[in-house]
Amino acid sequence: MSSVARVTTISARSETSFDDAVSIGVARASETLRNVSGAWVKDQKVEAQDGKITAWHVVLEVTFVLE
């Protein structure tokens, strides 16, 4: 059986960690997109204040299979 997938770019932010930001992004994408099958972390960065990290950001390429 053949399938066709599409990739979309999303960004997510967490005040906890990169892992949490990825989880938030995939969970949110799954609320809108059907058949999410994976995600690739394309970019990541942090926010800092007074020498401490205050937030983690990721840019994800989310793959979902078309019906």
XYZ file of all heavy atoms in Angstrom:
509
model
N 0.840 -1.182 0.000
C 0.000 0.000 0.000
C 0.882 1.241 0.000
O 1.842 1.340 0.742
C -0.895 -0.024 1.243
C -1.812 1.126 1.318
S -2.950 0.891 2.703
C -3.367 2.558 2.986
N 0.558 2.193 -0.820
C 1.307 3.445 -0.909
C 0.661 4.501 -0.026
O -0.527 4.444 0.271
C 1.326 3.948 -2.349
O 1.965 3.025 -3.185
N 1.467 5.464 0.381
C 0.926 6.581 1.144
C 1.644 7.855 0.735
O 2.761 7.820 0.220
C 1.066 6.340 2.644
O 2.412 6.247 2.999
N 0.978 8.957 0.987
C 1.540 10.269 0.696
C 1.535 11.055 1.999
O 0.547 11.049 2.732
C 0.712 11.010 -0.382
C 1.247 12.415 -0.592
C 0.719 10.229 -1.683
N 2.639 11.703 2.281
C 2.749 12.483 3.511
C 3.028 13.939 3.170
O 3.530 14.257 2.095
C 3.866 11.935 4.391
N 2.709 14.771 4.112
C 2.985 16.204 3.983
C 3.775 16.649 5.201
O 3.649 16.081 6.280
C 1.667 16.962 3.904
C 1.874 18.437 3.660
C 0.601 19.102 3.290
N 0.931 20.498 3.046
C 0.134 21.351 2.490
N -1.061 20.976 2.123
N 0.503 22.594 2.307
N 4.577 17.693 5.028
C 5.379 18.232 6.120
C 4.991 19.692 6.321
O 4.849 20.441 5.359
C 6.891 18.119 5.805
C 7.717 18.749 6.905
C 7.287 16.669 5.593
N 4.807 20.073 7.578
C 4.509 21.470 7.899
C 5.449 21.924 9.014
O 5.900 21.116 9.823
C 3.025 21.651 8.301
O 2.728 23.033 8.376
C 2.716 20.965 9.601
N 5.755 23.198 9.031
C 6.676 23.762 10.024
C 5.880 24.435 11.130
O 4.979 25.231 10.858
C 7.615 24.783 9.367
O 8.311 24.156 8.297
C 8.608 25.336 10.371
N 6.224 24.107 12.384
C 5.605 24.768 13.527
C 6.692 25.145 14.526
O 7.795 24.598 14.497
C 4.534 23.897 14.219
C 5.166 22.650 14.847
C 3.436 23.508 13.256
C 4.240 21.932 15.784
N 6.382 26.069 15.408
C 7.309 26.403 16.480
C 6.582 26.215 17.815
O 5.363 26.352 17.886
C 7.829 27.832 16.352
O 6.764 28.751 16.409
N 7.346 25.872 18.834
C 6.779 25.654 20.161
C 7.731 26.204 21.211
O 8.943 26.253 20.999
C 6.517 24.176 20.395
N 7.170 26.566 22.361
C 7.944 27.180 23.451
C 7.597 26.496 24.758
O 6.449 26.140 24.997
C 7.590 28.661 23.534
C 8.271 29.441 24.624
C 7.756 30.889 24.611
N 8.427 31.714 25.587
C 8.066 31.839 26.847
N 7.019 31.179 27.311
N 8.733 32.619 27.674
N 8.589 26.320 25.598
C 8.392 25.746 26.925
C 9.214 26.536 27.930
O 10.285 27.042 27.602
C 8.841 24.280 26.949
O 8.925 23.790 28.274
N 8.742 26.607 29.141
C 9.513 27.221 30.215
C 10.226 26.154 31.039
O 10.761 26.450 32.101
C 8.598 28.085 31.089
C 8.061 29.283 30.332
C 7.176 30.186 31.163
O 6.877 29.844 32.322
O 6.771 31.233 30.639
N 10.260 24.908 30.522
C 10.859 23.779 31.233
C 12.109 23.221 30.551
O 13.150 23.099 31.178
C 9.825 22.647 31.395
O 8.648 23.171 31.992
C 10.361 21.537 32.257
N 11.983 22.850 29.240
C 13.099 22.198 28.551
C 12.823 22.085 27.052
O 11.695 22.304 26.601
C 13.317 20.787 29.113
O 12.211 19.954 28.782
N 13.870 21.703 26.291
C 13.686 21.420 24.872
C 12.742 20.240 24.683
O 11.869 20.257 23.821
C 15.022 21.112 24.181
C 15.853 22.337 23.884
C 17.147 22.435 24.355
C 15.359 23.381 23.131
C 17.929 23.545 24.082
C 16.124 24.511 22.851
C 17.419 24.586 23.333
N 12.921 19.180 25.484
C 12.048 18.000 25.380
C 10.586 18.381 25.565
O 9.708 17.910 24.839
C 12.434 16.931 26.404
C 13.725 16.209 26.055
O 14.180 16.321 24.903
O 14.260 15.531 26.941
N 10.332 19.232 26.530
C 8.960 19.672 26.782
C 8.426 20.489 25.608
O 7.268 20.334 25.213
C 8.895 20.470 28.083
C 7.474 20.740 28.534
O 6.660 19.792 28.538
O 7.181 21.888 28.913
N 9.262 21.335 25.038
C 8.847 22.134 23.875
C 8.479 21.223 22.707
O 7.485 21.458 22.016
C 9.943 23.115 23.476
N 9.271 20.170 22.479
C 8.967 19.220 21.408
C 7.637 18.528 21.698
O 6.776 18.413 20.818
C 10.103 18.179 21.234
C 9.685 17.078 20.278
C 11.374 18.855 20.746
N 7.438 18.071 22.922
C 6.187 17.397 23.296
C 4.986 18.311 23.106
O 3.944 17.890 22.593
C 6.246 16.924 24.748
O 7.205 15.922 24.902
N 5.131 19.565 23.513
C 4.053 20.544 23.345
C 3.743 20.731 21.860
O 2.576 20.757 21.456
C 4.429 21.884 24.010
C 4.406 21.735 25.530
C 3.512 23.019 23.554
C 5.034 22.901 26.278
N 4.776 20.869 21.052
C 4.581 21.069 19.613
C 3.896 19.901 18.935
O 2.958 20.087 18.154
N 4.333 18.685 19.240
C 3.727 17.498 18.623
C 2.286 17.323 19.102
O 1.385 17.030 18.308
C 4.572 16.237 18.908
C 3.836 14.977 18.471
C 5.925 16.333 18.203
N 2.049 17.539 20.384
C 0.690 17.415 20.916
C -0.244 18.438 20.265
O -1.369 18.105 19.873
C 0.697 17.593 22.430
N 0.237 19.659 20.127
C -0.596 20.703 19.514
C -0.850 20.409 18.050
O -1.966 20.581 17.543
C 0.074 22.068 19.684
C -0.702 23.211 19.062
C -2.082 23.375 19.711
N -2.829 24.426 19.078
C -3.650 24.272 18.032
N -3.827 23.076 17.507
N -4.309 25.294 17.525
N 0.163 19.956 17.320
C -0.013 19.611 15.909
C -1.041 18.491 15.764
O -1.869 18.509 14.847
C 1.319 19.196 15.297
N -1.014 17.542 16.675
C -1.940 16.403 16.619
C -3.389 16.824 16.873
O -4.310 16.116 16.471
C -1.529 15.342 17.640
O -0.280 14.801 17.284
N -3.599 17.959 17.525
C -4.957 18.460 17.735
C -5.573 18.963 16.435
O -6.795 18.929 16.274
C -4.962 19.604 18.751
C -4.666 19.190 20.166
C -4.596 20.378 21.115
O -5.011 21.495 20.727
O -4.115 20.194 22.248
N -4.734 19.450 15.524
C -5.213 20.039 14.282
C -5.024 19.118 13.084
O -5.847 19.087 12.183
C -4.466 21.367 14.005
O -4.591 22.199 15.149
C -5.014 22.074 12.797
N -3.921 18.384 13.050
C -3.581 17.520 11.921
C -3.872 16.068 12.259
O -3.558 15.608 13.346
C -2.092 17.665 11.581
C -1.597 19.083 11.302
C -0.084 19.099 11.221
C -2.216 19.622 10.025
N -4.453 15.355 11.301
C -4.671 13.921 11.491
C -3.444 13.155 11.017
O -2.724 13.596 10.121
C -5.891 13.460 10.702
C -7.204 13.954 11.283
C -8.390 13.288 10.612
N -8.445 13.560 9.185
C -9.114 14.553 8.625
N -9.783 15.391 9.395
N -9.129 14.714 7.328
N -3.212 12.007 11.612
C -2.165 11.065 11.176
C -0.749 11.617 11.297
O 0.098 11.377 10.425
C -2.420 10.587 9.742
C -3.783 9.967 9.571
O -4.238 9.227 10.437
N -4.447 10.273 8.473
N -0.459 12.364 12.371
C 0.908 12.831 12.606
C 1.783 11.600 12.829
O 1.490 10.754 13.664
C 0.984 13.784 13.814
C 2.428 14.084 14.181
C 0.222 15.072 13.516
N 2.849 11.489 12.044
C 3.689 10.284 12.115
C 5.100 10.561 12.613
O 5.862 9.632 12.861
C 3.753 9.603 10.745
O 4.346 10.465 9.790
N 5.464 11.830 12.763
C 6.800 12.128 13.268
C 7.110 13.609 13.198
O 6.331 14.404 12.668
N 8.247 13.960 13.755
C 8.682 15.353 13.731
C 10.201 15.400 13.760
O 10.849 14.550 14.367
C 8.106 16.118 14.916
N 10.759 16.388 13.094
C 12.191 16.612 13.047
C 12.462 17.976 13.674
O 11.817 18.967 13.319
C 12.666 16.571 11.602
C 14.063 17.022 11.372
C 15.188 16.523 11.944
C 14.499 18.064 10.492
N 16.299 17.185 11.478
C 15.904 18.137 10.578
C 13.838 18.931 9.630
C 16.644 19.043 9.849
C 14.591 19.831 8.904
C 15.980 19.879 9.018
N 13.387 18.036 14.610
C 13.749 19.314 15.227
C 14.686 20.038 14.265
O 15.833 19.648 14.081
C 14.418 19.109 16.605
C 14.825 20.459 17.187
C 13.498 18.365 17.555
N 14.167 21.081 13.649
C 14.917 21.832 12.638
C 15.823 22.880 13.280
O 16.913 23.145 12.792
C 13.923 22.496 11.680
C 14.559 23.214 10.538
C 13.510 23.757 9.600
C 14.163 24.507 8.464
N 13.159 25.061 7.559
N 15.339 23.481 14.380
C 16.113 24.537 15.026
C 15.701 24.600 16.490
O 14.605 24.178 16.854
C 15.827 25.878 14.342
C 16.838 26.952 14.692
O 17.927 26.626 15.212
O 16.530 28.144 14.455
N 16.597 25.109 17.306
C 16.273 25.312 18.711
C 17.055 26.503 19.243
O 18.140 26.815 18.760
C 16.550 24.066 19.543
C 17.919 23.470 19.409
C 18.031 22.129 20.129
O 17.056 21.461 20.388
N 19.238 21.746 20.443
N 16.440 27.196 20.209
C 17.104 28.347 20.821
C 16.543 28.527 22.223
O 15.534 27.923 22.585
C 16.922 29.609 19.991
C 15.503 30.120 19.951
C 15.403 31.422 19.187
C 13.996 31.977 19.284
N 13.879 33.301 18.683
N 17.211 29.350 23.002
C 16.756 29.635 24.363
C 16.602 31.134 24.560
O 17.220 31.930 23.864
C 17.727 29.077 25.441
C 17.796 27.572 25.372
C 19.099 29.694 25.333
N 15.752 31.489 25.525
C 15.659 32.865 26.012
C 16.415 32.892 27.335
O 16.359 31.928 28.108
C 14.209 33.252 26.299
C 13.338 33.409 25.099
C 11.893 33.736 25.492
O 11.675 34.409 26.538
O 10.999 33.300 24.782
N 17.101 33.983 27.603
C 17.844 34.089 28.859
C 17.641 35.468 29.472
O 17.442 36.456 28.763
C 19.330 33.846 28.616
N 17.694 35.482 30.791
C 17.599 36.739 31.535
C 18.470 36.608 32.777
O 18.409 35.594 33.484
C 16.150 37.010 31.927
C 15.948 38.361 32.567
C 14.467 38.640 32.810
O 13.611 37.800 32.632
N 14.187 39.850 33.235
N 19.307 37.585 33.002
C 20.213 37.585 34.150
C 21.072 36.327 34.210
O 21.322 35.765 35.278
C 19.441 37.743 35.470
C 18.679 39.057 35.535
O 19.205 40.077 35.025
O 17.563 39.068 36.083
N 21.495 35.859 33.044
C 22.372 34.693 32.974
C 21.689 33.356 33.167
O 22.358 32.331 33.245
N 20.364 33.345 33.220
C 19.627 32.096 33.413
C 18.656 31.876 32.260
O 18.049 32.833 31.768
C 18.859 32.117 34.731
C 19.778 32.165 35.924
C 19.009 32.051 37.212
C 20.012 32.110 38.361
N 19.405 31.890 39.646
N 18.507 30.624 31.852
C 17.569 30.294 30.787
C 16.150 30.428 31.324
O 15.814 29.889 32.375
C 17.820 28.873 30.254
C 19.208 28.796 29.613
C 16.729 28.474 29.243
C 19.629 27.397 29.205
N 15.323 31.153 30.571
C 13.941 31.367 30.990
C 12.935 30.641 30.092
O 11.791 30.446 30.500
C 13.601 32.863 31.016
O 13.844 33.421 29.717
C 14.449 33.594 32.046
N 13.341 30.265 28.871
C 12.435 29.543 27.973
C 13.234 28.837 26.889
O 14.330 29.265 26.526
C 11.430 30.489 27.345
N 12.678 27.747 26.406
C 13.267 26.940 25.345
C 12.314 26.955 24.157
O 11.110 26.781 24.315
C 13.451 25.501 25.821
C 14.513 25.327 26.866
C 15.768 24.837 26.659
C 14.431 25.595 28.272
N 16.464 24.808 27.838
C 15.669 25.262 28.861
C 13.434 26.095 29.105
C 15.932 25.403 30.207
C 13.686 26.239 30.455
C 14.919 25.897 30.993
N 12.871 27.175 22.957
C 12.076 27.220 21.722
C 12.579 26.153 20.761
O 13.792 25.927 20.657
C 12.244 28.563 21.009
C 11.700 29.729 21.759
N 10.442 30.216 21.530
C 12.239 30.508 22.726
C 10.236 31.255 22.323
N 11.313 31.448 23.065
N 11.646 25.529 20.032
C 12.015 24.606 18.964
C 11.205 24.940 17.719
O 10.079 25.417 17.808
C 11.784 23.120 19.339
C 12.728 22.683 20.434
C 10.343 22.842 19.711
N 11.813 24.698 16.574
C 11.108 24.734 15.299
C 11.066 23.287 14.825
O 12.105 22.625 14.739
C 11.823 25.634 14.265
C 11.128 25.560 12.918
C 11.886 27.068 14.775
N 9.851 22.807 14.549
C 9.655 21.412 14.176
C 9.138 21.300 12.750
O 8.317 22.109 12.315
C 8.632 20.739 15.092
C 8.914 20.733 16.577
C 7.701 20.206 17.333
C 10.133 19.875 16.883
N 9.614 20.295 12.035
C 9.045 19.882 10.760
C 8.178 18.670 11.093
O 8.707 17.602 11.435
C 10.144 19.498 9.770
C 11.069 20.635 9.365
C 10.442 21.570 8.364
O 9.529 21.146 7.631
O 10.873 22.734 8.304
N 6.875 18.833 11.087
C 5.943 17.772 11.478
C 5.436 17.058 10.226
O 4.963 17.707 9.281
C 4.767 18.344 12.288
C 3.759 17.254 12.640
C 5.270 19.038 13.544
N 5.530 15.739 10.230
C 5.074 14.924 9.103
C 3.729 14.292 9.452
O 3.543 13.758 10.542
C 6.089 13.798 8.816
O 7.362 14.377 8.563
C 5.656 12.971 7.609
N 2.794 14.386 8.497
C 1.513 13.710 8.675
C 1.096 13.061 7.362
O 1.377 13.565 6.275
C 0.425 14.663 9.201
C 0.164 15.873 8.353
C -0.937 15.923 7.519
C 1.016 16.975 8.403
C -1.190 17.053 6.744
C 0.775 18.114 7.647
C -0.335 18.141 6.809
N 0.491 11.890 7.479
C 0.101 11.094 6.309
C -1.272 11.547 5.847
O -2.222 11.651 6.637
C 0.092 9.591 6.646
C -0.350 8.773 5.455
C 1.477 9.163 7.124
N -1.386 11.821 4.540
C -2.658 12.251 3.961
C -3.589 11.065 3.785
O -3.143 9.966 3.456
C -2.426 12.949 2.620
C -1.536 14.188 2.670
C -1.308 14.723 1.269
C -2.134 15.262 3.550
N -4.866 11.287 4.009
C -5.863 10.219 3.860
C -6.245 10.040 2.421
O -6.164 10.926 1.616
C -7.102 10.533 4.694
C -6.781 10.565 6.163
C -7.984 10.949 7.019
O -8.951 11.534 6.494
O -7.926 10.667 8.222
